[in-house]
Amino acid sequence: MSDRVKIAVRGLKKSFGSKVVLDGVDFDLHEGESLVIIGGSGSGKSVTVKCVLGLMEPDAGSILIDGVEATRLAGAERLGLMHKFGMLFQGAALFDSLPVWENVAFGLIQGKGMNRARARDIAIQKLGAVGLGPEVGMLSPAELSGGMQKRVALARAIAAEPEIIVFDEPTTGLDPIMADVINDLIIKCVKDLGASAISITHDMVSTRKIANRVAMIYKGRIIWSDIAQRIDHSGNQFVDQFIHGRADGPIQMEIRAL
Amino acid sequence: MLDFLASIGRIFILFLQATGRLTLFAVTGISHCFRPPFYPRLIGRQLVDMGYYSLPVVGLTAIFTGMVLALQTHTGFAIGAETAVATVVVVSFTRELGPVIAGLMVAGRIGAATAAEIGTMRVTEQIDALSTLSTNPFKYLVVPRLIAGTIALPLLVFVADIIGMFGGFLVATYTLDYNPRGFIGQMWDTLSTDDVVSGLIKSAVFGFIVALMGCYNGYHSKGGAQGVGSATTYAVVSAAIMILVSDYVLTALFFSS
Ligand SMILES: Nc1ncnc2c1ncn2[C@@H]1O[C@H](COP(=O)(O)OP(=O)(O)O)[C@@H](O)[C@H]1O
Ligand SMILES: [Mg+2]
């Protein structure tokens, strides 16, 4: 970990209609660091990273990526910036019209213009890195289980060797053993690439395992952020309630439909 | 009364907004057609999907339409029916029925499939995933379909014209007992390059419309499976209506001068 800041987010705001989702989110991601953003369902975790990746346009705020203001980029510059990123989507988001190997090789073939044969070799190798044999490469994504889809999505996210990897709920919906396998893979991949990582989760086991630093989002703001070891002694009631999963406390779940 | 006017105004504004969005989508799509990167492999696949695999449906509708046309014209004209049948079959098929029937069939087949496929990719975040892999989703998904639609439909219509006229010929010679050689001669005399070409130009426009409406509705679908379902419906219905409206406009343009 170094002191160089890879991503600096300041005052990020985003509303959908009258519903305010992000209300001034601030955080930094340092080079080589693994930041985990925790928060309840619907608290705006996915929206935050989608803004960072330029998949959604924030209403206000600044996002500096390696010192470049990303909110003002568009078109080719925007796509160029994507070379720095790898993203693992919440629902895996594999391309179901393509076989598994081509999913993994996609960023190499389309994004970087590598020839198919070479990209395919790399894809098979990346599948190996997430514990899947070459024969899986021939299958279609629909033929895989949820855990395998997540692994393929992980292989796809790391295939182009990005500098920053974003994981959106990597372990949600998996059994505890598969979740731990994914956690180990995340740690390994991030370390092998020397990448910086942002993970989103509400899984505390996963958080404790993969985080260097933890930030908690609540009501559209980061209400607490510190190194991972201090999470049990945060002195913050919100964090305490969240990590122990208690129904009563300062956080009241919005049961009513909005 | 004021309420009524206000709601008409609101609907009108919504209509203008939707038209504006669609126009912007179309213009962006067309402008991307001429800027790299190009995806010839994807265009090829779409051509096969839209053109080749539509042949059976289009051929089947064309042949029966041609047959019905011959039969109806024969019962409609008491004297000089033979000439009338040949003229009506050839002229109406090349100018109108070929393009419109093929356009509507392809709207049902391709418009729906396109909207469903792109819509599913939208709601399962596959379109977002494309961007994160440094690929412009517009170029990768929309442009190949627009190009393929514009090329595939004229080819289909060319085939449909031949099959439709053949259907007319079958009924004329087998059911109506016309002389085959004489009938073919009359069809040949009626056939004009202008009619065929105007029909093919129309079909290129229809093909573009079908692909555009499929892509547009799919691209902007939201809200899970239900959203994809209504995107599919909109794609087919709006493509069908736009085909008929633009058919009128194009016909007026071609044959007024
Ligand atoms: N495209 C969208 N349109 C409207 N509302 C959205 C959209 N995306 C997210 N939201 C809303 O923003 C809130 C936060 O969503 P999200 O960031 O996905 O939550 P999570 O923290 O579980 O990832 C949710 O209440 C959701 O309804
Ligand atoms: Mg989420």
Side-chain angles (χ1 to χ4, degrees), chain A:
Chain A
M1 213 182 306
S2 78
D3 284 340
R4 244 170 60 88
V5 176
K6 284 301 267 186
I7 301 182
V9 173
R10 290 292 175 273
L12 197 64
K13 294 193 180 183
K14 178 77 185 171
S15 307
F16 294 101
S18 61
K19 182 175 178 194
V20 179
V21 176
L22 303 183
D23 187 22
V25 166
D26 306 307
F27 66 87
D28 286 336
L29 175 73
H30 293 265
E31 192 166 27
E33 177 183 56
S34 171
L35 170 73
V36 172
I37 301 178
I38 57 174
S41 294
S43 56
K45 305 184 295 295
S46 296
V47 171
T48 306
V49 294
K50 281 187 179 167
C51 287
V52 170
L53 284 159
L55 302 174
M56 265 181 195
E57 211 171 311
D59 300 333
S62 135
I63 300 166
L64 291 177
I65 298 173
D66 284 329
V68 177
E69 180 59 59
T71 47
R72 275 190 233 114
L73 296 183
E77 283 178 316
R78 178 88 248 175
L79 286 175
L81 191 66
M82 286 296 178
H83 284 307
K84 294 189 187 201
F85 284 96
M87 165 101 185
L88 173 63
F89 284 87
Q90 199 165 341
L94 298 175
F95 306 126
D96 36 30
S97 57
L98 300 176
V100 164
W101 78 265
E102 220 174 321
N103 264 281
V104 177
F106 196 93
L108 300 171
I109 297 173
Q110 307 297 351
K112 293 195 166 169
M114 189 182 282
N115 80 48
R116 292 172 68 83
R118 211 165 95 77
R120 187 185 172 130
D121 291 341
I122 295 179
I124 299 293
Q125 180 197 327
K126 296 290 172 187
L127 282 173
V130 296
L132 296 172
E135 70 285 355
V136 176
M138 290 299 129
L139 300 176
S140 119
E143 296 173 76
L144 307 180
S145 69
M148 280 166 103
Q149 289 190 354
K150 280 272 164 84
R151 289 206 230 182
V152 173
L154 179 59
R156 182 174 72 178
I158 60 170
E161 318 214 320
E163 297 167 32
I164 305 161
I165 317 181
V166 179
F167 303 98
D168 191 350
E169 309 212 1
T171 57
T172 306
L174 301 179
D175 65 78
I177 296 170
M178 183 53 78
D180 204 49
V181 170
I182 297 283
N183 287 335
D184 286 338
L185 284 172
I186 288 175
I187 295 168
K188 176 170 158 282
C189 293
V190 171
K191 207 157 101 201
D192 289 353
L193 292 177
S196 322
I198 301 179
S199 315
I200 286 175
T201 189
H202 47 230
D203 173 353
M204 289 317 296
V205 179
S206 173
T207 306
R208 286 174 201 281
K209 193 147 182 181
I210 62 183
N212 299 136
R213 175 177 289 275
V214 181
M216 172 150 172
I217 187 169
Y218 178 66
K219 293 226 156 139
R221 286 166 185 270
I222 301 289
I223 54 162
W224 178 82
S225 168
D226 208 334
I227 57 169
Q229 288 77 4
R230 296 214 192 110
I231 193 164
D232 289 310
H233 321 286
S234 64
N236 184 311
Q237 292 171 304
F238 294 89
V239 176
D240 276 343
Q241 186 192 345
F242 190 83
I243 64 176
H244 296 114
R246 286 192 290 256
D248 43 65
I251 305 175
Q252 291 303 317
M253 282 289 154
E254 313 218 14
I255 313 267
R256 183 173 56 90
L258 290 170

Side-chain angles (χ1 to χ4, degrees), chain B residues 105-117:
Chain B
M105 292 314 286
V106 169
R109 223 184 78 82
I110 299 303
T114 305
E117 186 176 351

Side-chain angles (χ1 to χ4, degrees), chain A residues 50 83 94-95 110 116, chain B residues 39 41 125-126 134-135 140:
Chain A
K50 281 187 179 167
H83 284 307
L94 298 175
F95 306 126
Q110 307 297 351
R116 292 172 68 83
Chain B
Y39 297 101
R41 179 189 284 266
E125 299 185 315
Q126 290 179 49
S134 300
T135 303
Y140 187 81

